[in-house]
Amino acid sequence: MISVLVVDDQPMIRAGIRAILDAQPDLAVAGEAEDGRAGVRLGRSLRPDVVLMDVRMPELDGLAATRELLSGSPAPRVLMLTTFDVDDYVYEALRSGASGFLLKDSEPDELVRAVRVVANSEALLSPSVTRRLIENFVGAQPRKPSPALNALTDREREVLRHMATGMSNAEIAAALFIAEQTTKTHVSRILNKLGLRDRVHAVVFGYENGLVVPGRR
């Protein structure tokens, strides 16, 4: 059973989300919070698997609340919800540690799938959000590569470079002529060595450290 905390300042939104998730056999809403401050408090006490976090809220906005929640241990997975398909919100959400981003006008089955994906330690972006947001925010400025890259083997750097272009494990395996299970092992080691939460943050890291040139796959 995947436990979920819903953090949104609109009661009707919270009620609608609860109805959708509680109708699923493997999902359960553990609690609701009406602002970011209450969301942090409940997140720490309830320890849900996934937090559905609105971006704009009183007391403490969703980005700040996400940073606070993820500073603790164990930290939940955070899926950001918003009515605004705005690139800077998306990028800041990812930089804050969120594992996904979904628009509030998404279909119910998209919401259900998103919660399951994020709970599975994977990462999700709204279909309307593409790699352009990372290219737009990161690509213009050359950056000094992180010393953390030195911990990676040559093969792991190759895998990370392919991850940063958005390739799946199967696509990476085919490109490097290795088994898909071997790719999964490399991905796991990369995330552990670099202290990254999931694949989305590997994409951000890859762009920020020059492993991928904006505009090229």
Side-chain angles (χ1 to χ4, degrees):
M1 183 67 71
I2 299 170
S3 61
V4 182
L5 171 64
V6 182
V7 186
D8 194 291
D9 61 338
Q10 299 180 56
M12 289 185 64
I13 294 291
R14 296 199 306 271
I17 291 175
R18 175 183 282 275
I20 292 170
L21 298 185
D22 280 347
Q24 303 301 312
D26 59 332
L27 306 178
V29 174
E32 300 178 20
E34 70 281 0
D35 58 57
R37 183 65 62 196
V40 172
R41 185 173 64 253
L42 280 178
R44 288 174 175 167
S45 62
L46 296 175
R47 296 189 176 184
D49 300 305
V50 176
V51 175
L52 293 176
M53 182 78 74
D54 188 19
V55 172
R56 288 187 171 182
M57 291 183 294
E59 296 295 329
L60 192 68
D61 67 39
L63 301 179
T66 294
R67 286 191 289 268
E68 286 200 29
L69 262 182
L70 298 184
S71 66
S73 181
R77 297 283 168 175
V78 177
L79 177 59
M80 305 299 297
L81 292 171
T82 184
T83 55
F84 304 95
D85 183 11
V86 182
D87 284 352
D88 55 353
Y89 282 133
V90 180
Y91 190 68
E92 283 306 313
L94 299 181
R95 293 300 306 273
S96 298
S99 294
F101 186 95
L102 201 66
L103 299 179
K104 287 184 179 180
D105 61 1
S106 298
E107 295 295 325
D109 59 342
E110 286 186 80
L111 172 62
V112 170
R113 174 182 172 273
V115 171
R116 289 174 178 150
V117 167
V118 169
N120 237 0
S121 298
E122 298 178 42
L124 176 139
L125 293 177
S126 171
S128 63
V129 179
T130 66
R131 284 173 35 251
R132 84 176 189 281
L133 77 94
I134 296 175
E135 294 180 353
N136 288 345
F137 281 87
V138 178
Q141 301 297 325
R143 300 183 181 225
K144 185 177 180 180
S146 168
L149 281 172
N150 296 328
L152 302 183
T153 65
D154 290 341
R155 175 61 88 186
E156 287 168 348
R157 284 191 183 222
E158 279 186 293
V159 172
L160 176 57
R161 187 175 293 109
H162 286 307
M163 288 171 63
T165 65
M167 293 174 71
S168 67
N169 286 347
E171 291 171 329
I172 295 172
L176 299 180
F177 302 101
I178 58 178
E180 188 171 348
Q181 184 57 50
T182 302
T183 302
K184 291 180 181 179
T185 300
H186 283 313
V187 170
S188 178
R189 288 175 178 169
I190 290 166
L191 297 180
N192 286 333
K193 286 183 178 182
L194 299 180
L196 302 173
R197 292 182 61 79
D198 49 43
R199 296 179 77 96
V200 162
H201 300 112
V203 173
V204 175
F205 183 93
Y207 273 95
E208 288 185 335
N209 288 276
L211 293 179
V212 182
V213 177
R216 298 182 189 173
R217 183 176 175 85

